Amino acid sequence: MITAVLVVIISFVEASKNCQSGYTKCRDGIQCFPLTSLCDGRHMHCTDGSDEDPDFCREQSCADGYTKCEDGVHCFESSGLCDSNDWSTRYHCSDLSDEDPEFCKVQSCADGYAKCRDNIHCFPLTGLCDNDTWHYTYHCSDLSDKDPEFCKEQSCADGYTKCKDGVHCFELSGLCDSNDWSTNYHCSDLSDEDPEFCKVKKCQTGYAKCRDGIHCFPLTSLCDGRQTHCTDGSDEDVAFCKDQSCADGYTKCRDDIHCFPLTGLCDKNDYYTMYHCNDLSDEDPEFCKGKPCPADYTKCRDGVHCFPLTGLCDGSISNCLDLSDEDPDFCKDD
């Protein structure tokens, strides 16, 4: 049993001391820096200067949502692909490639964006035939983002779904969200408040269906004892809550009912102790050892505490009681 526990602890600690998402190691293999700062010519993040070395930068990939300029050195936000308009042209690349139509045609848009019909410009999928009468704005110079036939061919952004008409998108949190005080329609065909339509739609990430199969509620509110989100009261029903999984970045207490953020695992310090679980399991070292850290966090050498990867050998206040987060050997990749 002891051997099994040790294997679990080692696997969590060694699973990755890589940098958090959107960061990468400097050439020294110790420090991390944000990929958005790759050869940005502004501020040196690496003590060895590698984040401003063009040869080093060419070897790196851009952060999610960013694209390399044609020079292979600099990165810019993908939403800036050929984003010039009749009023201004703003270059993001020193070689001006971000406004070259031929360069833009072969680049992909950022998540949540899609190409206009011209295959050059990118526009936010939240603007897909949105028909906002107060802010009616075209994102595509060819006006394709307001063409119903073009919109029918596109998928909605994450967290959105199509109305029954197949043209308009609305936030999944708006599925049958009417209450005793108001009804707010998001679809011109009113389908977003049709119970039968809502039953066949999945909830957005981090939400779950109430027992009635119609309404969605945030998993962070699962049996939180505060407010009932489901008209049938199921989000505060213990038996129902035991059957549900927690939202990303959350985990169940030992009672298997309540969820708490993984950042709260054994997070007490010399000044205070904040319990997230009624059974106090979130401050039990043995319980914490068996839990993984949330994204962009890693375990200290003790296998109990989690700390943000941005704190790896950052030269500031230690995040670990055993001081391992400032130990160069611990910070280096295995």
Side-chain angles (χ1 to χ4, degrees):
M1 179 65 181
I2 294 175
T3 302
V5 171
L6 285 173
V7 169
V8 170
I9 294 171
I10 291 170
S11 66
F12 283 151
V13 172
E14 303 299 342
S16 185
K17 295 194 289 290
N18 291 327
C19 303
Q20 71 182 95
S21 176
Y23 282 64
T24 193
K25 284 284 176 90
C26 301
R27 190 180 277 123
D28 62 16
I30 298 175
Q31 291 180 296
C32 295
F33 73 95
L35 279 166
T36 53
S37 300
L38 198 65
C39 282
D40 62 356
R42 297 174 185 168
H43 173 68
M44 195 175 292
H45 295 76
C46 298
T47 54
D48 61 10
S50 53
D51 61 304
E52 293 297 329
D53 176 357
D55 290 331
F56 178 80
C57 294
R58 284 193 182 96
E59 298 168 0
Q60 311 305 314
S61 300
C62 298
D64 287 346
Y66 282 69
T67 298
K68 276 279 178 93
C69 300
E70 202 161 29
D71 63 15
V73 177
H74 303 94
C75 296
F76 67 97
E77 285 191 72
S78 298
S79 57
L81 275 168
C82 288
D83 63 346
S84 61
N85 53 42
D86 295 336
W87 301 278
S88 65
T89 299
R90 182 187 173 195
Y91 291 104
H92 308 278
C93 296
S94 56
D95 61 7
L96 314 186
S97 55
D98 60 300
E99 290 299 327
D100 175 0
E102 295 308 312
F103 177 79
C104 294
K105 280 181 181 178
V106 297
Q107 306 303 319
S108 299
C109 299
D111 286 346
Y113 284 69
K115 283 283 179 87
C116 301
R117 190 179 277 123
D118 62 15
N119 200 34
I120 297 174
H121 302 93
C122 295
F123 72 96
L125 281 167
T126 51
L128 195 65
C129 285
D130 57 359
N131 291 343
D132 186 337
T133 55
W134 293 103
H135 303 93
Y136 199 80
T137 304
Y138 287 100
H139 303 276
C140 296
S141 56
D142 60 8
L143 313 187
S144 53
D145 60 305
K146 300 300 175 192
D147 176 358
E149 294 308 313
F150 177 80
C151 294
K152 283 180 180 178
E153 298 168 1
Q154 310 303 313
S155 300
C156 299
D158 285 347
Y160 284 68
T161 191
K162 285 279 180 89
C163 299
K164 195 178 285 181
D165 63 16
V167 176
H168 303 95
C169 296
F170 69 97
E171 285 191 75
L172 278 165
S173 57
L175 273 172
C176 287
D177 63 346
S178 60
N179 54 43
D180 295 336
W181 301 278
S182 66
T183 299
N184 182 19
Y185 290 105
H186 308 280
C187 297
S188 55
D189 60 8
L190 313 187
S191 55
D192 60 299
E193 290 299 327
D194 175 358
E196 296 307 312
F197 177 79
C198 294
K199 280 182 180 178
V200 299
K201 292 289 185 180
K202 292 181 179 179
C203 300
Q204 68 193 96
T205 302
Y207 281 65
K209 284 283 177 93
C210 301
R211 190 178 277 125
D212 62 15
I214 298 172
H215 302 92
C216 296
F217 72 95
L219 280 167
T220 52
S221 301
L222 197 65
C223 281
D224 64 355
R226 297 173 184 170
Q227 178 188 357
T228 300
H229 295 78
C230 298
T231 54
D232 60 9
S234 53
D235 61 305
E236 292 298 325
D237 178 76
V238 170
F240 179 80
C241 293
K242 283 185 175 180
D243 292 335
Q244 309 303 312
S245 299
C246 299
D248 285 348
Y250 283 67
T251 190
K252 284 279 180 87
C253 301
R254 190 179 277 126
D255 63 15
D256 200 34
I257 299 171
H258 303 94
C259 295
F260 71 96
L262 280 166
T263 52
L265 275 170
C266 288
D267 63 346
K268 68 179 179 181
N269 55 42
D270 295 336
Y271 308 101
Y272 72 92
T273 299
M274 179 182 178
Y275 290 103
H276 306 277
C277 297
N278 293 336
D279 60 10
L280 313 186
S281 54
D282 60 300
E283 290 300 328
D284 176 358
E286 294 309 310
F287 179 79
C288 295
K289 283 179 181 177
K291 295 288 186 179
C293 297
D296 297 334
Y297 279 65
T298 191
K299 288 272 179 143
C300 300
R301 189 179 277 125
D302 63 16
V304 177
H305 303 93
C306 295
F307 70 95
L309 282 165
T310 52
L312 268 173
C313 286
D314 62 352
S316 63
I317 298 173
S318 183
N319 298 278
C320 296
L321 296 177
D322 60 11
L323 311 183
S324 53
D325 61 305
E326 292 300 326
D327 177 355
D329 291 329
F330 180 80
C331 296
K332 284 183 178 179
D333 293 332
D334 296 315

